[in-house]
mmCIF file with all atom_site columns, all heavy atoms in Angstrom:
data_model
loop_
_atom_site.group_PDB
_atom_site.id
_atom_site.type_symbol
_atom_site.label_atom_id
_atom_site.label_alt_id
_atom_site.label_comp_id
_atom_site.label_asym_id
_atom_site.label_entity_id
_atom_site.label_seq_id
_atom_site.pdbx_PDB_ins_code
_atom_site.Cartn_x
_atom_site.Cartn_y
_atom_site.Cartn_z
_atom_site.occupancy
_atom_site.B_iso_or_equiv
_atom_site.pdbx_formal_charge
_atom_site.auth_seq_id
_atom_site.auth_comp_id
_atom_site.auth_asym_id
_atom_site.auth_atom_id
_atom_site.pdbx_PDB_model_num
ATOM 1   N N   . ASP A 1 29  ? -3.619  -4.800  -47.154 1.00 81.00 ? 192 ASP A N   1
ATOM 2   C CA  . ASP A 1 29  ? -3.589  -3.934  -48.336 1.00 81.00 ? 192 ASP A CA  1
ATOM 3   C C   . ASP A 1 29  ? -3.118  -2.524  -48.020 1.00 81.00 ? 192 ASP A C   1
ATOM 4   O O   . ASP A 1 29  ? -2.990  -1.695  -48.932 1.00 81.00 ? 192 ASP A O   1
ATOM 5   C CB  . ASP A 1 29  ? -4.983  -3.860  -48.973 1.00 81.00 ? 192 ASP A CB  1
ATOM 6   C CG  . ASP A 1 29  ? -5.425  -5.203  -49.549 1.00 81.00 ? 192 ASP A CG  1
ATOM 7   O OD1 . ASP A 1 29  ? -4.551  -6.089  -49.675 1.00 81.00 ? 192 ASP A OD1 1
ATOM 8   O OD2 . ASP A 1 29  ? -6.626  -5.347  -49.833 1.00 81.00 ? 192 ASP A OD2 1
ATOM 9   N N   . ARG A 1 47  ? -10.920 5.430   -27.146 1.00 84.00 ? 210 ARG A N   1
ATOM 10  C CA  . ARG A 1 47  ? -10.881 6.259   -25.928 1.00 84.00 ? 210 ARG A CA  1
ATOM 11  C C   . ARG A 1 47  ? -12.220 6.972   -25.720 1.00 84.00 ? 210 ARG A C   1
ATOM 12  O O   . ARG A 1 47  ? -12.703 7.112   -24.590 1.00 84.00 ? 210 ARG A O   1
ATOM 13  C CB  . ARG A 1 47  ? -9.760  7.300   -26.032 1.00 84.00 ? 210 ARG A CB  1
ATOM 14  C CG  . ARG A 1 47  ? -8.353  6.719   -25.997 1.00 84.00 ? 210 ARG A CG  1
ATOM 15  C CD  . ARG A 1 47  ? -7.321  7.837   -25.909 1.00 84.00 ? 210 ARG A CD  1
ATOM 16  N NE  . ARG A 1 47  ? -5.980  7.336   -26.129 1.00 84.00 ? 210 ARG A NE  1
ATOM 17  C CZ  . ARG A 1 47  ? -5.253  7.561   -27.211 1.00 84.00 ? 210 ARG A CZ  1
ATOM 18  N NH1 . ARG A 1 47  ? -5.747  8.313   -28.190 1.00 84.00 ? 210 ARG A NH1 1
ATOM 19  N NH2 . ARG A 1 47  ? -4.050  7.061   -27.330 1.00 84.00 ? 210 ARG A NH2 1
ATOM 20  N N   . MET A 1 109 ? -0.264  11.958  1.085   1.00 89.00 ? 272 MET A N   1
ATOM 21  C CA  . MET A 1 109 ? -1.583  11.312  1.035   1.00 89.00 ? 272 MET A CA  1
ATOM 22  C C   . MET A 1 109 ? -1.938  10.921  2.465   1.00 89.00 ? 272 MET A C   1
ATOM 23  O O   . MET A 1 109 ? -1.622  9.816   2.921   1.00 89.00 ? 272 MET A O   1
ATOM 24  C CB  . MET A 1 109 ? -1.556  10.096  0.116   1.00 89.00 ? 272 MET A CB  1
ATOM 25  C CG  . MET A 1 109 ? -1.322  10.437  -1.338  1.00 89.00 ? 272 MET A CG  1
ATOM 26  S SD  . MET A 1 109 ? -1.331  8.960   -2.395  1.00 89.00 ? 272 MET A SD  1
ATOM 27  C CE  . MET A 1 109 ? -3.060  8.468   -2.301  1.00 89.00 ? 272 MET A CE  1
ATOM 28  N N   . ASP A 1 117 ? -19.921 8.278   15.610  1.00 90.00 ? 280 ASP A N   1
ATOM 29  C CA  . ASP A 1 117 ? -20.786 9.034   16.515  1.00 90.00 ? 280 ASP A CA  1
ATOM 30  C C   . ASP A 1 117 ? -21.083 10.404  15.909  1.00 90.00 ? 280 ASP A C   1
ATOM 31  O O   . ASP A 1 117 ? -20.163 11.174  15.602  1.00 90.00 ? 280 ASP A O   1
ATOM 32  C CB  . ASP A 1 117 ? -20.091 9.194   17.869  1.00 90.00 ? 280 ASP A CB  1
ATOM 33  C CG  . ASP A 1 117 ? -21.017 9.757   18.942  1.00 90.00 ? 280 ASP A CG  1
ATOM 34  O OD1 . ASP A 1 117 ? -22.005 10.425  18.582  1.00 90.00 ? 280 ASP A OD1 1
ATOM 35  O OD2 . ASP A 1 117 ? -20.736 9.537   20.133  1.00 90.00 ? 280 ASP A OD2 1
ATOM 36  N N   . ALA A 1 119 ? -22.084 13.003  17.319  1.00 93.00 ? 282 ALA A N   1
ATOM 37  C CA  . ALA A 1 119 ? -21.578 14.086  18.170  1.00 93.00 ? 282 ALA A CA  1
ATOM 38  C C   . ALA A 1 119 ? -20.153 14.460  17.779  1.00 93.00 ? 282 ALA A C   1
ATOM 39  O O   . ALA A 1 119 ? -19.778 15.643  17.797  1.00 93.00 ? 282 ALA A O   1
ATOM 40  C CB  . ALA A 1 119 ? -21.644 13.678  19.643  1.00 93.00 ? 282 ALA A CB  1
ATOM 41  N N   . VAL A 1 128 ? -14.122 23.590  12.858  1.00 94.00 ? 291 VAL A N   1
ATOM 42  C CA  . VAL A 1 128 ? -13.844 24.238  11.584  1.00 94.00 ? 291 VAL A CA  1
ATOM 43  C C   . VAL A 1 128 ? -14.435 25.645  11.555  1.00 94.00 ? 291 VAL A C   1
ATOM 44  O O   . VAL A 1 128 ? -13.767 26.621  11.176  1.00 94.00 ? 291 VAL A O   1
ATOM 45  C CB  . VAL A 1 128 ? -14.402 23.396  10.416  1.00 94.00 ? 291 VAL A CB  1
ATOM 46  C CG1 . VAL A 1 128 ? -14.397 24.199  9.118   1.00 94.00 ? 291 VAL A CG1 1
ATOM 47  C CG2 . VAL A 1 128 ? -13.589 22.114  10.253  1.00 94.00 ? 291 VAL A CG2 1
ATOM 48  N N   . VAL A 1 151 ? -0.563  10.107  -11.605 1.00 96.00 ? 314 VAL A N   1
ATOM 49  C CA  . VAL A 1 151 ? 0.097   11.313  -12.110 1.00 96.00 ? 314 VAL A CA  1
ATOM 50  C C   . VAL A 1 151 ? -0.030  11.370  -13.630 1.00 96.00 ? 314 VAL A C   1
ATOM 51  O O   . VAL A 1 151 ? 0.228   10.375  -14.329 1.00 96.00 ? 314 VAL A O   1
ATOM 52  C CB  . VAL A 1 151 ? 1.586   11.328  -11.710 1.00 96.00 ? 314 VAL A CB  1
ATOM 53  C CG1 . VAL A 1 151 ? 2.271   12.581  -12.254 1.00 96.00 ? 314 VAL A CG1 1
ATOM 54  C CG2 . VAL A 1 151 ? 1.737   11.260  -10.194 1.00 96.00 ? 314 VAL A CG2 1
ATOM 55  N N   . VAL A 1 182 ? -9.219  3.922   -15.840 1.00 96.00 ? 345 VAL A N   1
ATOM 56  C CA  . VAL A 1 182 ? -8.121  4.876   -15.662 1.00 96.00 ? 345 VAL A CA  1
ATOM 57  C C   . VAL A 1 182 ? -7.599  5.233   -17.047 1.00 96.00 ? 345 VAL A C   1
ATOM 58  O O   . VAL A 1 182 ? -6.921  4.429   -17.693 1.00 96.00 ? 345 VAL A O   1
ATOM 59  C CB  . VAL A 1 182 ? -6.992  4.278   -14.800 1.00 96.00 ? 345 VAL A CB  1
ATOM 60  C CG1 . VAL A 1 182 ? -5.842  5.264   -14.678 1.00 96.00 ? 345 VAL A CG1 1
ATOM 61  C CG2 . VAL A 1 182 ? -7.513  3.899   -13.422 1.00 96.00 ? 345 VAL A CG2 1
ATOM 62  N N   . ILE A 1 276 ? -8.498  25.738  -9.434  1.00 89.00 ? 439 ILE A N   1
ATOM 63  C CA  . ILE A 1 276 ? -9.540  24.899  -8.843  1.00 89.00 ? 439 ILE A CA  1
ATOM 64  C C   . ILE A 1 276 ? -9.777  25.389  -7.424  1.00 89.00 ? 439 ILE A C   1
ATOM 65  O O   . ILE A 1 276 ? -8.970  25.151  -6.527  1.00 89.00 ? 439 ILE A O   1
ATOM 66  C CB  . ILE A 1 276 ? -9.115  23.409  -8.834  1.00 89.00 ? 439 ILE A CB  1
ATOM 67  C CG1 . ILE A 1 276 ? -8.732  22.976  -10.231 1.00 89.00 ? 439 ILE A CG1 1
ATOM 68  C CG2 . ILE A 1 276 ? -10.247 22.544  -8.291  1.00 89.00 ? 439 ILE A CG2 1
ATOM 69  C CD1 . ILE A 1 276 ? -8.120  21.590  -10.291 1.00 89.00 ? 439 ILE A CD1 1
ATOM 70  N N   . PRO A 1 287 ? -14.552 14.626  -14.532 1.00 95.00 ? 450 PRO A N   1
ATOM 71  C CA  . PRO A 1 287 ? -15.167 13.920  -15.665 1.00 95.00 ? 450 PRO A CA  1
ATOM 72  C C   . PRO A 1 287 ? -14.837 14.565  -17.013 1.00 95.00 ? 450 PRO A C   1
ATOM 73  O O   . PRO A 1 287 ? -14.710 13.859  -18.019 1.00 95.00 ? 450 PRO A O   1
ATOM 74  C CB  . PRO A 1 287 ? -16.669 13.996  -15.367 1.00 95.00 ? 450 PRO A CB  1
ATOM 75  C CG  . PRO A 1 287 ? -16.762 14.244  -13.904 1.00 95.00 ? 450 PRO A CG  1
ATOM 76  C CD  . PRO A 1 287 ? -15.573 15.082  -13.564 1.00 95.00 ? 450 PRO A CD  1
ATOM 77  N N   . ASP A 1 311 ? -27.080 9.290   6.564   1.00 95.00 ? 474 ASP A N   1
ATOM 78  C CA  . ASP A 1 311 ? -28.171 8.381   6.914   1.00 95.00 ? 474 ASP A CA  1
ATOM 79  C C   . ASP A 1 311 ? -28.890 7.875   5.666   1.00 95.00 ? 474 ASP A C   1
ATOM 80  O O   . ASP A 1 311 ? -29.234 6.693   5.566   1.00 95.00 ? 474 ASP A O   1
ATOM 81  C CB  . ASP A 1 311 ? -29.154 9.079   7.849   1.00 95.00 ? 474 ASP A CB  1
ATOM 82  C CG  . ASP A 1 311 ? -28.539 9.381   9.217   1.00 95.00 ? 474 ASP A CG  1
ATOM 83  O OD1 . ASP A 1 311 ? -27.493 8.773   9.543   1.00 95.00 ? 474 ASP A OD1 1
ATOM 84  O OD2 . ASP A 1 311 ? -29.090 10.234  9.943   1.00 95.00 ? 474 ASP A OD2 1
ATOM 85  N N   . VAL A 1 361 ? -25.768 -13.680 13.063  1.00 87.00 ? 524 VAL A N   1
ATOM 86  C CA  . VAL A 1 361 ? -25.614 -14.771 14.028  1.00 87.00 ? 524 VAL A CA  1
ATOM 87  C C   . VAL A 1 361 ? -25.260 -16.055 13.281  1.00 87.00 ? 524 VAL A C   1
ATOM 88  O O   . VAL A 1 361 ? -25.848 -16.367 12.245  1.00 87.00 ? 524 VAL A O   1
ATOM 89  C CB  . VAL A 1 361 ? -26.907 -14.970 14.846  1.00 87.00 ? 524 VAL A CB  1
ATOM 90  C CG1 . VAL A 1 361 ? -26.789 -16.204 15.729  1.00 87.00 ? 524 VAL A CG1 1
ATOM 91  C CG2 . VAL A 1 361 ? -27.191 -13.734 15.686  1.00 87.00 ? 524 VAL A CG2 1
ATOM 92  N N   . ARG A 1 419 ? -18.276 -7.157  11.505  1.00 71.00 ? 582 ARG A N   1
ATOM 93  C CA  . ARG A 1 419 ? -17.079 -6.833  10.729  1.00 71.00 ? 582 ARG A CA  1
ATOM 94  C C   . ARG A 1 419 ? -16.574 -5.489  11.200  1.00 71.00 ? 582 ARG A C   1
ATOM 95  O O   . ARG A 1 419 ? -17.153 -4.451  10.923  1.00 71.00 ? 582 ARG A O   1
ATOM 96  C CB  . ARG A 1 419 ? -17.388 -6.796  9.236   1.00 71.00 ? 582 ARG A CB  1
ATOM 97  C CG  . ARG A 1 419 ? -17.633 -8.158  8.626   1.00 71.00 ? 582 ARG A CG  1
ATOM 98  C CD  . ARG A 1 419 ? -18.190 -8.052  7.226   1.00 71.00 ? 582 ARG A CD  1
ATOM 99  N NE  . ARG A 1 419 ? -17.295 -7.336  6.340   1.00 71.00 ? 582 ARG A NE  1
ATOM 100 C CZ  . ARG A 1 419 ? -17.692 -6.720  5.238   1.00 71.00 ? 582 ARG A CZ  1
ATOM 101 N NH1 . ARG A 1 419 ? -18.976 -6.702  4.926   1.00 71.00 ? 582 ARG A NH1 1
ATOM 102 N NH2 . ARG A 1 419 ? -16.833 -6.110  4.463   1.00 71.00 ? 582 ARG A NH2 1
ATOM 103 N N   . ARG A 1 434 ? -23.965 -23.475 23.817  1.00 89.00 ? 597 ARG A N   1
ATOM 104 C CA  . ARG A 1 434 ? -24.229 -24.890 23.624  1.00 89.00 ? 597 ARG A CA  1
ATOM 105 C C   . ARG A 1 434 ? -23.031 -25.732 24.074  1.00 89.00 ? 597 ARG A C   1
ATOM 106 O O   . ARG A 1 434 ? -23.059 -26.954 23.972  1.00 89.00 ? 597 ARG A O   1
ATOM 107 C CB  . ARG A 1 434 ? -24.525 -25.184 22.150  1.00 89.00 ? 597 ARG A CB  1
ATOM 108 C CG  . ARG A 1 434 ? -25.717 -24.412 21.594  1.00 89.00 ? 597 ARG A CG  1
ATOM 109 C CD  . ARG A 1 434 ? -25.873 -24.676 20.098  1.00 89.00 ? 597 ARG A CD  1
ATOM 110 N NE  . ARG A 1 434 ? -26.952 -23.888 19.514  1.00 89.00 ? 597 ARG A NE  1
ATOM 111 C CZ  . ARG A 1 434 ? -28.219 -24.265 19.475  1.00 89.00 ? 597 ARG A CZ  1
ATOM 112 N NH1 . ARG A 1 434 ? -28.572 -25.426 19.989  1.00 89.00 ? 597 ARG A NH1 1
ATOM 113 N NH2 . ARG A 1 434 ? -29.128 -23.491 18.925  1.00 89.00 ? 597 ARG A NH2 1
ATOM 114 N N   . ASP A 1 455 ? 1.860   -12.218 28.440  1.00 83.00 ? 618 ASP A N   1
ATOM 115 C CA  . ASP A 1 455 ? 2.078   -10.837 28.834  1.00 83.00 ? 618 ASP A CA  1
ATOM 116 C C   . ASP A 1 455 ? 0.685   -10.252 29.023  1.00 83.00 ? 618 ASP A C   1
ATOM 117 O O   . ASP A 1 455 ? 0.070   -9.755  28.082  1.00 83.00 ? 618 ASP A O   1
ATOM 118 C CB  . ASP A 1 455 ? 2.860   -10.086 27.757  1.00 83.00 ? 618 ASP A CB  1
ATOM 119 C CG  . ASP A 1 455 ? 3.142   -8.635  28.142  1.00 83.00 ? 618 ASP A CG  1
ATOM 120 O OD1 . ASP A 1 455 ? 2.784   -8.235  29.269  1.00 83.00 ? 618 ASP A OD1 1
ATOM 121 O OD2 . ASP A 1 455 ? 3.711   -7.903  27.315  1.00 83.00 ? 618 ASP A OD2 1
ATOM 122 N N   . GLY A 1 567 ? 30.636  -3.233  21.898  1.00 83.00 ? 730 GLY A N   1
ATOM 123 C CA  . GLY A 1 567 ? 31.708  -3.318  20.922  1.00 83.00 ? 730 GLY A CA  1
ATOM 124 C C   . GLY A 1 567 ? 31.729  -4.576  20.092  1.00 83.00 ? 730 GLY A C   1
ATOM 125 O O   . GLY A 1 567 ? 31.943  -4.516  18.878  1.00 83.00 ? 730 GLY A O   1
ATOM 126 N N   . ARG A 1 646 ? 19.113  4.201   -0.440  1.00 67.00 ? 809 ARG A N   1
ATOM 127 C CA  . ARG A 1 646 ? 18.809  4.935   0.789   1.00 67.00 ? 809 ARG A CA  1
ATOM 128 C C   . ARG A 1 646 ? 19.453  4.238   1.992   1.00 67.00 ? 809 ARG A C   1
ATOM 129 O O   . ARG A 1 646 ? 20.026  4.881   2.875   1.00 67.00 ? 809 ARG A O   1
ATOM 130 C CB  . ARG A 1 646 ? 17.289  5.003   0.975   1.00 67.00 ? 809 ARG A CB  1
ATOM 131 C CG  . ARG A 1 646 ? 16.800  5.722   2.215   1.00 67.00 ? 809 ARG A CG  1
ATOM 132 C CD  . ARG A 1 646 ? 16.845  7.229   2.052   1.00 67.00 ? 809 ARG A CD  1
ATOM 133 N NE  . ARG A 1 646 ? 16.050  7.652   0.924   1.00 67.00 ? 809 ARG A NE  1
ATOM 134 C CZ  . ARG A 1 646 ? 14.738  7.886   0.958   1.00 67.00 ? 809 ARG A CZ  1
ATOM 135 N NH1 . ARG A 1 646 ? 14.066  7.695   2.076   1.00 67.00 ? 809 ARG A NH1 1
ATOM 136 N NH2 . ARG A 1 646 ? 14.093  8.308   -0.112  1.00 67.00 ? 809 ARG A NH2 1
ATOM 137 N N   . THR A 1 668 ? 16.993  17.772  13.492  1.00 86.00 ? 831 THR A N   1
ATOM 138 C CA  . THR A 1 668 ? 17.663  17.402  12.242  1.00 86.00 ? 831 THR A CA  1
ATOM 139 C C   . THR A 1 668 ? 18.668  18.483  11.854  1.00 86.00 ? 831 THR A C   1
ATOM 140 O O   . THR A 1 668 ? 18.366  19.677  11.889  1.00 86.00 ? 831 THR A O   1
ATOM 141 C CB  . THR A 1 668 ? 16.637  17.222  11.112  1.00 86.00 ? 831 THR A CB  1
ATOM 142 O OG1 . THR A 1 668 ? 15.653  16.257  11.515  1.00 86.00 ? 831 THR A OG1 1
ATOM 143 C CG2 . THR A 1 668 ? 17.306  16.759  9.830   1.00 86.00 ? 831 THR A CG2 1
#
Side-chain angles (χ1 to χ4, degrees):
D192 294 347
R210 292 188 191 108
M272 294 181 68
D280 190 336
V291 167
V314 179
V345 178
I439 306 172
D474 293 343
V524 173
R582 288 169 60 204
R597 301 175 184 273
D618 181 3
R809 179 79 58 85
T831 304

